[in-house]
Amino acid sequence: HVTIFPNFRRQQEMSTLRPTVLWAQRKQLLHLKIDLSDVSNPQIVLTESKLTFSGQSHGHNYALDIDFFAPINPEESSYTVGARQIQFQIRKKEEVWWAACLKDKVKPTFLKVDWSLWKDEEDDVEPASMPAADDFNDFADEPADDEPGDDEHAAQEFIQRQAAQGADDEASDDDSEDLDPKDTAEASEKSEPPALPETPVQA
């Protein structure tokens, strides 16, 4: 039989736990998540060098102090208390990659990498900006390099006319070759002018 004294029970109930913290970073931002659900009475203080948190979750007290690796900008940082997590977007004072999240080089057991947001430094490249809609319209208005100009249009029309004229000449030659020699002779006779009557010469 074990007897639990009231003072021990009260101390056990009021003991403070340290929540799990997930972190990731970008060149200009630090992403933090306090992995606690249904937090009540959250007390959050964010300074240039430190994050302090306390609150209750599912009947337990939680508290946390984080000394940042480098200074941050509290005025440009924000956080949201959600049903499953407390999420922070913390603006770094200088846009540089940190060697660690905390000032202390020894990694604590409560701090873990947020692999859903993690990126290596060489992968943190902003995508190239897309041209604006007006730029696309400008491109559409400009003639393409492969579209023929006025000189090329004139040359093409000249070539087409020469080809058509050559085709007509060939067709005429073919028609003349197909004529029968008799028809040709008749046509020549018809084309000759009629003979004039002979007028007697007077002595």
Side-chain angles (χ1 to χ4, degrees):
H1 183 71
V2 178
T3 302
I4 300 178
F5 296 97
N7 290 339
F8 179 78
R9 183 188 297 275
R10 188 178 301 108
Q11 183 179 0
Q12 187 180 33
E13 291 177 352
M14 296 302 294
S15 62
T16 301
L17 304 176
R18 183 172 290 176
T20 299
V21 177
L22 306 175
W23 84 288
Q25 68 170 319
R26 300 292 184 271
K27 187 177 181 180
Q28 71 278 15
L29 286 175
L30 181 69
H31 298 281
L32 289 182
K33 295 177 183 177
I34 298 178
D35 195 15
L36 283 179
S37 60
D38 302 324
V39 177
S40 59
N41 302 320
Q43 302 295 322
I44 298 172
V45 178
L46 194 61
T47 67
E48 189 175 283
S49 61
K50 190 173 184 178
L51 167 63
T52 302
F53 161 79
S54 65
Q56 291 80 43
S57 176
H58 301 287
H60 297 283
N61 293 331
Y62 291 87
L64 179 71
D65 288 327
I66 290 180
D67 293 317
F68 295 121
F69 177 81
I72 61 120
N73 192 333
E75 290 78 14
E76 296 183 9
S77 303
S78 62
Y79 67 88
T80 56
V81 180
R84 300 178 61 184
Q85 292 173 325
I86 301 177
Q87 299 187 22
F88 294 82
Q89 281 197 344
I90 299 173
R91 177 72 60 174
K92 297 178 180 178
K93 197 164 189 178
E94 295 183 4
E95 294 189 1
V96 294
W97 276 77
W98 291 1
C101 178
L102 307 182
K103 189 174 182 180
D104 190 354
K105 295 182 180 179
V106 179
K107 183 181 177 180
T109 57
F110 69 87
L111 185 65
K112 301 182 184 300
V113 173
D114 187 352
W115 294 112
S116 65
L117 293 176
W118 185 264
K119 276 189 177 182
D120 294 326
E121 183 175 359
E122 57 271 17
D123 297 331
D124 187 23
V125 178
E126 294 183 359
S129 59
M130 294 293 292
D134 294 339
D135 296 335
F136 281 117
N137 293 334
D138 293 340
F139 295 153
D141 294 339
E142 295 179 0
D145 293 340
D146 56 353
E147 290 184 358
D150 295 338
D151 295 339
E152 294 181 1
H153 276 302
Q156 289 180 0
E157 291 178 359
F158 176 76
I159 293 172
Q160 291 175 357
R161 286 198 301 270
Q162 291 295 323
Q165 184 176 355
D168 293 340
D169 294 341
E170 290 180 0
S172 300
D173 294 341
D174 293 341
D175 294 341
S176 61
E177 291 176 359
D178 293 339
L179 290 175
D180 187 72
K182 186 183 296 183
D183 296 336
T184 305
E186 293 178 357
S188 300
E189 293 176 357
K190 291 180 180 180
S191 61
E192 292 179 357
L196 297 174
E198 293 183 359
T199 304
V201 178
Q202 296 180 359

